[in-house]
Amino acid sequence: MGIDDFNNLKRYEKLSILKMYGVELNRKFTKYGTIKLVICVAIKNFFVELNFNVMTKQIENIFAFEDGEILNNHSNFNEYLINTKGFDDKFEFTY
C-alpha cells in the first residue's frame, strides 16, 4: 500500500491499518492552543500523523506524509539542544 492508497481510505480503514501495521515512533502533547495528542506512526514506506483533541476526545486529522522535514518535527532530539554551547547543561561526554 502506498501513501495515495492510504489517503483514499475511509477514516475507520486508516485506523485499522494503523493498528495492524503501524509502528509508533513518537507521541506528544501540543504546547500551545487546543490540547492535542499528536502521534507519529511508521507504515512500511511512509509516515502517518494522528491528531487527537484531548478536550473533545475526537480524532481531528489523520495525515500521511513522506517528508523528512515533517518527520523532524517528531524528533525529541532537538528539544535537548537548548543552550548556547549547543547542548543541554546535563550533557556529559562519555569518553
Side-chain angles (χ1 to χ4, degrees), residues 46-75:
F46 61 93
F47 304 97
V48 177
E49 182 180 282
L50 184 110
N51 293 293
F52 180 78
N53 187 317
V54 175
M55 302 304 284
T56 63
K57 299 181 182 175
Q58 298 286 323
I59 295 172
E60 290 188 349
N61 192 20
I62 302 173
F63 171 72
F65 64 93
E66 298 172 312
D67 187 351
E69 187 70 29
I70 296 171
L71 182 61
N72 189 44
N73 293 337
H74 293 282
S75 170

Side-chain angles (χ1 to χ4, degrees), residues 18-29:
L18 288 175
K19 185 172 182 166
M20 287 190 301
Y21 303 109
V23 176
E24 186 175 316
L25 301 177
N26 188 27
R27 67 172 49 205
K28 60 185 173 182
F29 288 96

Side-chain angles (χ1 to χ4, degrees), residues 90-95:
K90 296 176 188 153
F91 179 82
E92 295 179 17
F93 290 105
T94 57
Y95 55 92

